[in-house]
Amino acid sequence: MKKLTREAQEPLIPHIRPSTRNKIRKYIYGGVFFLSIFILYRALNNNESGKKGIGRNGDFMEYDPRKNGPKLEDPVVNMIKLDIYMEAQCPDTSRFVFDVFNFKRHHFCSRFFRQQLKKAWDILGNLNRIELNVIPFGKARCTEKGNDFECQCQHGPTECEINQLMNCVIDRFGFPHRYLPAVLCMQGKYSLDEAMTCVTQNFPAEYNRMRECAGGQRGRRLLALSGQKTASITPAIDFIPWIVINGARNSDALYDLTQNACEAMQPMPSACKEYLRSLQ
């Protein structure tokens, strides 16, 4: 059999000189070698980088889960849910209420709001660990009348108007740090006009809107919705204010809301530790 020459073995480039073909081979082999090294390097370092691209509308941001993700050794920080069921004209004084067996001393809404809720929110509100809900309704009653509601409140029509104003402000501004100063101010006021001064102080541009809401169909509907929330709790409320922490009624919070809220937080923040030390 005739032995093939190198030219016969490489028919595709017969016109290239042998020395030139050797150079081409070296470049090809060198390129393949470096490409293999690069692929191997990427494979070995892919798991070490731990970085992913995330973005929107063409934006790209480098993300490292080791830096941005939660650390396993960090303690779990819990939120607490605080619900306050109240009405606008609870008396501001303490009194003795007689039941069949003994006397019970009750502090009512206005005193609780000024001495307990305000203090607790001033100390703990900026920690972002309290989901606060204020529900102005109390021992009222609302009856549906067509597309409207007719409501009667425990302390008369004026209390219904101020309850409705509170609900309008809460619905309008949503977050406790926005609405709570105005609601605290309204608590215990003797007329709607007097309660509206709290709107003027906190939201002057909203005066007309809130006045219309408080005296209109929307205010009555919001009051009725608060009534649905109040009627849904178990056991049924028989006292105002009714304080619920993490779904359970807490009567001790009537006398020290800050302490009871702190005790529900785990781990306890430093602000709570300082407050509890001040009680000793």
Side-chain angles (χ1 to χ4, degrees):
M1 179 181 292
K2 183 179 180 181
K3 185 178 180 179
L4 294 175
T5 64
R6 181 175 295 274
E7 289 77 6
Q9 294 173 6
E10 299 178 357
L12 296 179
I13 51 174
H15 58 284
I16 300 177
R17 295 178 180 179
S19 59
T20 304
R21 289 200 296 269
N22 290 335
K23 290 181 181 180
I24 292 174
R25 286 193 197 94
K26 290 179 181 179
Y27 290 136
I28 293 174
Y29 294 156
V32 171
F33 174 78
F34 286 113
L35 179 61
S36 301
I37 294 296
F38 176 74
I39 293 173
L40 180 61
Y41 173 80
R42 290 294 301 271
L44 292 175
N45 287 275
N46 186 50
N47 291 332
E48 294 180 3
S49 65
K51 297 182 179 180
K52 299 179 181 178
I54 57 175
R56 184 178 60 182
N57 298 330
D59 298 330
F60 185 85
M61 180 177 66
E62 195 175 61
Y63 173 72
D64 188 341
R66 295 174 301 177
K67 295 180 180 179
N68 299 286
K71 298 179 180 179
L72 296 178
E73 64 270 19
D74 288 347
V76 176
V77 177
N78 70 322
M79 294 278 295
I80 67 168
K81 189 172 186 290
L82 174 60
D83 302 319
I84 309 293
Y85 295 86
M86 47 78 68
E87 55 193 18
Q89 290 190 316
C90 272
D92 191 27
T93 59
S94 301
R95 71 179 185 181
F96 289 93
V97 179
F98 181 76
D99 65 15
V100 175
F101 301 103
N102 57 16
F103 287 96
K104 293 182 179 179
R105 192 180 186 189
H106 296 279
H107 295 264
F108 288 77
C109 284
S110 297
R111 178 167 299 214
F112 168 78
F113 263 60
R114 296 188 181 103
Q115 295 185 359
Q116 297 299 329
L117 181 56
K118 184 180 185 304
K119 179 179 69 174
W121 192 253
D122 287 345
I123 295 173
L124 306 175
N126 63 350
L127 299 178
N128 295 321
R129 291 184 60 181
I130 300 179
E131 179 189 337
L132 174 64
N133 299 289
V134 179
I135 303 95
F137 186 79
K139 296 182 179 180
R141 181 184 299 274
C142 289
T143 305
E144 192 170 3
K145 299 289 185 180
N147 293 326
D148 203 347
F149 289 87
E150 183 180 292
C151 300
Q152 295 84 34
C153 294
Q154 185 178 10
H155 301 99
T158 298
E159 182 172 67
C160 276
E161 289 180 328
I162 302 176
N163 280 347
Q164 287 162 198
L165 177 60
M166 288 179 172
N167 277 287
C168 290
V169 169
I170 292 169
D171 177 69
R172 173 67 173 162
F173 297 100
F175 298 100
H177 72 275
R178 296 288 312 281
Y179 70 70
L180 192 58
V183 172
L184 287 169
C185 173
M186 294 174 197
Q187 177 61 39
K189 292 294 189 281
Y190 294 102
S191 69
L192 179 61
D193 288 338
E194 190 179 8
M196 286 300 302
T197 62
C198 302
V199 176
T200 302
Q201 293 169 12
N202 290 276
F203 317 109
E206 297 289 329
Y207 183 93
N208 291 335
R209 182 196 295 264
M210 292 297 100
R211 182 85 190 213
E212 181 180 356
C213 178
Q217 182 176 341
R218 180 166 181 79
R220 292 187 291 272
R221 179 171 293 276
L222 291 171
L223 182 60
L225 289 173
S226 287
Q228 288 182 351
K229 296 176 184 177
T230 303
S232 68
I233 62 176
T234 303
I237 66 170
D238 57 9
F239 177 76
I240 299 296
W242 191 266
I243 306 157
V244 178
I245 297 178
N246 290 337
R249 195 251 175 131
N250 189 315
S251 57
D252 289 339
L254 184 65
Y255 305 100
D256 196 330
L257 176 61
T258 306
Q259 179 179 353
N260 283 271
C262 282
E263 290 172 349
M265 294 183 186
Q266 296 299 327
M268 191 177 291
S270 58
C272 283
K273 295 176 182 178
E274 293 175 7
Y275 177 75
L276 296 179
R277 279 195 296 268
S278 72
L279 301 179
Q280 297 175 357

